[in-house]
Amino acid sequence: MRKETRCVHGANDSKETNGAVSFPIYQSATFSHPGLGESTGYDYSRLQNPTREHLEKVMAALENGVGALAFSSGMAAASALMELFVPGDHIIVSSDTYGGTSRLFRNISVKNGLKFDFTDTSDIELVESLISEDTKAIFIETPTNPMMHVSDISRLSALAKANSMLTIVDNTFLTPYFQQPLSLGADIVLHSGTKYLGGHNDTLAGFLVTKSPEISEKLRFIYKTTGACLSPFDSWLIERGIKTLALRMEKHQKNAMGAARWLENHSKVRKVFYIGLESHPDYKVSTSQTSGFGGMISFEVDSEETVKKVLGGVRLISYAESLGGVESLITYPMLQTHADLPMEERLSRGINEKLLRLSVGIEDLEDIVEDLAEALGD
Ligand SMILES: *Cc1c(COP(=O)(O)O)cnc(C)c1O
């Protein structure tokens, strides 16, 4: 089944569900047993629930994995992932990751004895120079948030494999519709399902997908033991979102390309970071590993004054955190998503007081651009 079809039809076996075209919501915490030592296959919903299991099968298929786990948020997935490691283990991380991931690693995981090096994973030699005996994994986000750096998944995976390390990719920004890290050699994919997979800014969710049966089993044990599982209703909402993933991603990308080109030519815009622009430094790597560029743009304006005008002036676009939904959202990484990073690091990464991040929605591009034009004060 090709990916567009898979998004729509999921893993549906309507014979098991009385012909229901939309997979039913099994809103039950527990399941009765037919007799001693017998089970319907479901015992208690923390361990597994039919609706969640169905969603997990869809995600595993979309990412070409053997198993997927659906969590109550992306951060719940990242926290469970860290339980694969033991005190003393060292992990190399993309320096420009999502603020919450960085906060988790720096404040919670270090307390459990894990060691992290944050570096530019677009630079393979730099990554290689950080590998030691204790290094157990490379954690990459590509493209990164908010600076849109791209890392070469195949080359990093090969390097990791040669050193008996795992490659973990946060695939939230591009989704399996545009990028399939497991097929490029990665071992584990992480998602915030809250973003494009759900797609409607209405549900929190997270995923881990792996192509290794052994890792899948370990993660399943951690999952059922720690318990941050996705509820049946939220599982159903995310699956409903996935049904239109292909259409939405195409439209997000088309709008983002238009908005990025428009921003590039605006007198108050100094820099535009969008991986679909030929001027992007990683454009070649992107085209070699993805089938599209997604809907996320960051851009730097001429002054803090302009930032204030934009954030206060947008009407159609909401000034809000998050991304990947049908509605366009704009945020200010300096004070929102990345506020917990030390100031020095924010600035060295390019997250300054003039940087804005735009999640381009699926509205009419003309309306998005008109709103930006008015807010920027044309
Ligand atoms: C939002 C996000 C997360 C965290 O996911 P939540 O669902 O908000 O917990 C992780 N990584 C990336 C890239 C994100 O955008």
Side-chain angles (χ1 to χ4, degrees):
M1 222 186 263
R2 290 158 190 84
K3 58 188 177 184
E4 287 88 338
T5 316
R6 173 70 71 193
C7 287
V8 176
H9 288 276
N12 209 358
D13 183 356
S14 55
K15 275 193 223 99
E16 277 171 27
T17 53
N18 304 315
V21 171
S22 163
F23 196 89
I25 302 166
Y26 284 80
Q27 191 65 45
S28 186
T30 191
F31 298 84
S32 67
H33 304 302
L36 182 65
E38 292 173 36
S39 166
T40 59
Y42 304 96
D43 306 311
Y44 185 63
S45 279
R46 174 157 39 74
L47 313 186
Q48 195 50 292
N49 171 284
T51 314
R52 194 171 72 228
E53 182 175 47
H54 188 254
L55 170 65
E56 289 177 344
K57 281 186 187 160
V58 176
M59 274 306 290
L62 285 175
E63 286 284 12
N64 299 321
V66 298
L69 296 147
F71 291 86
S72 52
S73 72
M75 291 320 302
S79 307
L81 174 67
M82 286 302 109
E83 299 297 335
L84 278 180
F85 302 98
V86 297
D89 283 356
H90 172 238
I91 303 172
I92 299 169
V93 187
S94 298
S95 47
D96 189 39
T97 50
Y98 173 71
T101 306
S102 163
R103 184 173 59 214
L104 169 74
F105 293 170
R106 286 169 205 264
N107 297 287
I108 311 281
S109 309
V110 287
K111 187 167 66 60
N112 300 330
L114 306 189
K115 294 178 294 182
F116 298 89
D117 261 313
F118 293 83
T119 194
D120 177 6
T121 51
S122 313
D123 185 338
I124 307 254
E125 268 127 56
L126 206 54
V127 173
E128 200 165 4
S129 73
L130 290 169
I131 298 174
S132 71
E133 255 180 25
D134 295 336
T135 313
K136 295 290 154 44
I138 309 180
F139 182 102
I140 57 181
E141 203 176 297
T142 183
T144 59
N145 179 6
M147 300 311 295
M148 311 294 161
H149 297 300
V150 174
S151 296
D152 188 323
I153 300 174
S154 304
R155 287 186 65 200
L156 284 169
S157 301
L159 175 68
K161 198 165 268 160
N163 289 279
S164 312
M165 296 153 37
L166 295 175
T167 305
I168 303 158
V169 180
D170 183 329
N171 201 26
T172 300
F173 271 32
L174 290 178
T175 81
Y177 182 69
F178 282 141
Q179 175 168 276
Q180 295 167 328
L182 300 181
S183 303
L184 295 165
D187 302 285
I188 301 172
V189 164
L190 176 126
H191 276 285
S192 168
T194 313
K195 314 296 167 56
Y196 289 105
L197 295 171
H200 294 76
N201 289 320
D202 57 12
T203 314
L204 291 173
F207 291 95
L208 291 176
V209 191
T210 172
K211 64 176 183 203
S212 148
E214 191 194 332
I215 298 171
S216 177
E217 202 174 304
K218 276 189 197 164
L219 287 172
R220 182 65 70 183
F221 180 80
I222 293 166
Y223 181 88
K224 72 174 186 188
T225 307
T226 54
C229 46
L230 194 62
S231 77
F233 183 56
D234 287 353
S235 297
W236 183 86
L237 280 171
I238 298 294
E239 195 182 331
R240 188 169 69 159
I242 290 174
K243 284 180 196 279
T244 55
L245 182 67
L247 274 177
R248 286 187 288 107
M249 292 313 286
E250 293 292 349
K251 177 72 170 162
H252 282 298
Q253 157 158 286
K254 197 163 167 245
N255 280 354
M257 190 65 91
R261 290 204 197 287
W262 182 86
L263 285 165
E264 257 191 329
N265 290 315
H266 195 282
S267 61
K268 288 187 184 163
V269 177
R270 293 281 175 269
K271 289 182 198 156
V272 178
F273 306 91
Y274 178 58
I275 62 166
L277 295 175
E278 288 89 348
S279 58
H280 189 285
D282 304 318
Y283 184 73
K284 263 219 169 97
V285 183
S286 278
T287 49
S288 74
Q289 67 185 9
T290 76
S291 56
F293 308 112
M296 293 301 298
I297 302 174
S298 292
F299 61 102
E300 204 179 292
V301 292
D302 58 351
S303 67
E304 222 176 321
E305 204 47 45
T306 304
V307 163
K308 274 195 199 130
K309 267 174 68 178
V310 171
L311 295 177
V314 283
R315 290 169 192 279
L316 176 79
I317 303 169
S318 297
Y319 169 25
E321 283 178 59
S322 202
L323 60 106
V326 292
E327 299 93 355
S328 291
L329 303 179
I330 194 161
T331 189
Y332 191 38
M334 184 76 165
L335 293 185
Q336 260 110 33
T337 50
H338 292 70
D340 281 353
L341 279 184
M343 180 61 92
E344 239 171 67
E345 190 171 335
R346 266 179 270 171
L347 294 177
S348 76
R349 280 168 52 174
I351 306 172
N352 59 35
E353 66 289 337
K354 296 177 208 156
L355 186 81
L356 290 163
R357 191 191 73 185
L358 179 64
S359 171
V360 185
I362 65 165
E363 302 95 338
D364 190 306
L365 175 62
E366 293 296 312
D367 287 324
I368 296 170
V369 164
E370 269 171 35
D371 198 36
L372 286 171
E374 259 171 54
L376 277 161
D378 263 2

